[in-house]
Amino acid sequence: MAPERKPVDRRKQVLEASARSFATFGYKATTMDQVAKIAGVGKGTIYTFFANKEELFGEIMSGMIRELKELADRTVRPEVPFVDNLMEVLHRLLDYREQHALAAKLSQEVRDLGTPMAKEGLETLERAVVAYIARHVKDAMDRGEIKPCDPNLTAYIMLKTYLALTAESRHLHRPLSKEEVLDYFRTYWMEGLAVR
Amino acid sequence: MAPERKPVDRRKQVLEASARSFATFGYKATTMDQVAKIAGVGKGTIYTFFANKEELFGEIMSGMIRELKELADRTVRPEVPFVDNLMEVLHRLLDYREQHALAAKLSQEVRDLGTPMAKEGLETLERAVVAYIARHVKDAMDRGEIKPCDPNLTAYIMLKTYLALTAESRHLHRPLSKEEVLDYFRTYWMEGLAVR
DNA sequence: GAACTGACCAAAATAACAAATCGGTCAGTT
DNA sequence: AACTGACCGATTTGTTATTTTGGTCAGTTC
């Protein structure tokens, strides 16, 4: 059951070519002709692996979600407090420019073009991230590490804070350094602003 | 210097008609003919008070900002802790459906149509709100009530949290009651999630 | 004669139509 | 059997004709 010694793995070629194209040009501006060209493959070949453009895009998105999940799972250590895990995952996440590139491009595409498929993809990603965070929030809550709260809502607001600190802060602010993002996140979310 | 006993204050009529129209139909779909009709005034009359549509819209927006500021100033008591003032202003703000209607309509217009003027108006509003909150954050910081932080950034994230709890939460969640919004805002922002 | 009006105009938005592009297929090549 | 690219209908894009809109101003009203 060893991986076949194919001369070239065309499926992988298509996957990589489309991933780069989606991240660079967005969903709409990525054409199947272009993907075939970049992959060095005939257009028909794409359709032996993926039913259509939508499915190909879905594959890229779920691949991204899977990688994020693996990154987080690799980082989280159950014996360590929730806060520290959260910070460490955030820390590593901030280095992953690749994933961010696709998400950022799709986000821009939704703003500028309103492409429905890009919107849907981002919503799926958001739901996955929120669900993942919510699970850990719930665990921490059950262990009595953090106060009672609605895990989903809390996860949602956490994500919004993260995005505001990284992507959007540029509007009112200079972009923040990685250390500043972590610092603010810890202050806002764990310790609270009130002096005690 | 008593207010003149005009048979009708046409300026006010125009202002009220356009306020309602902007809130109901948005910037683009509000026509000057329509405003004149609602105000019960000839179209030319509008232009004796306002140079153009842009200026009329600007007047409505700055009026809204002024009202919000007055509401807040009327509520804030300097001798009371920052948190309590914040909560009380939020509390009263949540009852002001009028202001929210215009902001919500403009927000939708930016999403759906991308109208530049609507975008600009919302950005002005956002800057005003952030600047206002930031001033109070800085005061509270100087008084040692809250930890050191960047007032502008903190105000910005506070606003984002507020919007996420009120407007956006509906996507992942049922809309929250006023009490829940206040509760979560207090937990997240003042006490922190960590159990101590 | 100051305040006000609405027919009027240029400019911008929309609709209608023609041309180009794209997702997807499949007969033919390797 | 795996793969290709010319081909096709559908969608998008570019173009032109029509309508709508912001703004003006000669004329009416009080």
Side-chain angles (χ1 to χ4, degrees):
Chain A
M1 205 54 88
E4 281 297 318
R5 234 294 161 249
K6 288 276 177 65
V8 278
D9 185 347
R10 290 172 197 277
R11 189 176 195 278
K12 197 171 164 190
Q13 279 177 303
V14 170
L15 235 27
E16 279 168 8
S18 65
R20 277 181 38 205
S21 184
F22 283 132
T24 311
F25 306 109
Y27 181 81
K28 198 184 155 195
T30 290
T31 70
M32 297 304 262
D33 280 305
Q34 193 190 34
V35 170
K37 193 111 164 274
I38 298 175
V41 145
K43 188 157 64 148
T45 303
I46 300 177
Y47 289 88
T48 64
F49 301 120
F50 308 98
N52 48 39
K53 187 181 178 182
E54 208 169 309
E55 190 179 300
L56 177 58
F57 179 64
E59 209 68 34
I60 299 296
M61 288 303 292
S62 60
M64 171 170 159
I65 291 175
R66 185 163 22 81
E67 280 181 48
L68 286 177
K69 221 169 251 174
E70 278 163 16
L71 166 72
D73 282 339
R74 233 182 296 126
T75 308
V76 169
R77 286 178 300 160
E79 73 273 17
V80 159
F82 171 72
V83 209
D84 296 334
N85 275 325
L86 183 63
M87 287 299 122
E88 191 56 33
V89 172
L90 239 48
H91 193 277
R92 300 204 184 186
L93 200 57
L94 287 167
D95 287 330
Y96 266 59
R97 285 328 270 159
E98 227 174 280
Q99 326 262 10
H100 275 201
L102 176 54
K105 185 70 205 177
L106 291 178
S107 176
Q108 181 221 312
E109 190 177 353
V110 171
R111 266 205 322 278
D112 299 349
L113 289 303
T115 316
M117 194 47 67
K119 195 168 171 181
E120 200 175 300
L122 279 180
E123 280 166 5
T124 305
L125 174 61
E126 185 180 289
R127 272 194 299 274
V129 173
V130 167
Y132 186 90
I133 302 176
R135 244 186 43 224
H136 284 274
V137 168
K138 190 168 181 319
D139 285 350
M141 215 170 73
D142 290 344
R143 272 183 279 129
E145 275 192 56
I146 62 176
K147 297 180 184 166
C149 61
D150 181 319
N152 268 296
L153 182 61
T154 303
Y156 177 68
I157 309 276
M158 276 187 177
L159 176 59
K160 288 288 160 181
T161 306
Y162 175 76
L163 292 175
L165 282 172
T166 52
E168 296 170 38
S169 68
R170 177 170 341 142
H171 296 297
L172 288 165
H173 250 266
R174 73 190 185 295
L176 300 173
S177 76
K178 188 168 139 179
E179 286 70 27
E180 286 174 305
V181 170
L182 289 175
D183 239 42
Y184 274 110
F185 206 90
R186 167 166 241 130
T187 305
Y188 291 151
W189 276 101
M190 285 305 138
E191 306 166 5
L193 274 185
V195 169
R196 69 198 93 245
Chain B
M1 203 55 87
E4 281 297 321
R5 236 296 162 244
K6 289 275 179 64
V8 279
D9 185 346
R10 292 174 195 276
R11 188 176 196 276
K12 198 171 163 191
Q13 280 178 302
V14 170
L15 235 26
E16 278 168 10
S18 64
R20 276 182 38 205
S21 185
F22 283 133
T24 311
F25 305 110
Y27 180 81
K28 197 184 155 198
T30 290
T31 71
M32 297 304 261
D33 279 306
Q34 194 190 32
V35 171
K37 191 110 164 278
I38 297 176
V41 146
K43 187 157 66 148
T45 304
I46 301 178
Y47 290 89
T48 63
F49 301 120
F50 309 97
N52 49 40
K53 186 180 178 181
E54 207 169 311
E55 191 179 299
L56 176 58
F57 180 65
E59 209 67 34
I60 299 297
M61 287 304 291
S62 59
M64 172 169 160
I65 292 174
R66 184 162 24 79
E67 280 183 47
L68 286 177
K69 220 171 251 171
E70 278 163 16
L71 166 72
D73 282 338
R74 231 182 299 128
T75 308
V76 169
R77 285 178 300 160
E79 73 274 16
V80 159
F82 171 73
V83 209
D84 296 334
N85 274 326
L86 184 62
M87 287 300 121
E88 191 56 33
V89 171
L90 237 48
H91 195 276
R92 299 204 184 188
L93 199 59
L94 286 168
D95 286 332
Y96 265 60
R97 286 327 272 160
E98 229 173 275
Q99 326 263 9
H100 275 201
L102 176 54
K105 185 70 204 178
L106 291 177
S107 176
Q108 183 221 312
E109 191 177 353
V110 170
R111 265 204 324 277
D112 299 350
L113 290 303
T115 317
M117 204 59 203
K119 196 169 170 179
E120 200 175 299
L122 279 180
E123 281 167 5
T124 306
L125 173 61
E126 185 180 290
R127 273 194 299 274
V129 172
V130 167
Y132 186 90
I133 301 176
R135 244 186 42 225
H136 284 273
V137 167
K138 191 171 179 317
D139 285 350
M141 214 169 74
D142 290 344
R143 272 183 280 130
E145 275 192 57
I146 63 175
K147 297 180 183 165
C149 62
D150 181 319
N152 267 295
L153 181 61
T154 302
Y156 177 68
I157 309 274
M158 276 186 176
L159 176 58
K160 288 287 159 181
T161 305
Y162 175 76
L163 292 176
L165 283 172
T166 52
E168 296 171 38
S169 68
R170 167 170 355 130
H171 296 298
L172 289 163
H173 250 268
R174 74 191 185 291
L176 300 171
S177 75
K178 190 167 136 179
E179 284 71 26
E180 286 174 307
V181 170
L182 289 174
D183 239 43
Y184 274 112
F185 206 89
R186 168 167 241 132
T187 305
Y188 292 152
W189 275 102
M190 284 305 136
E191 306 165 6
L193 273 186
V195 170
R196 64 197 98 245

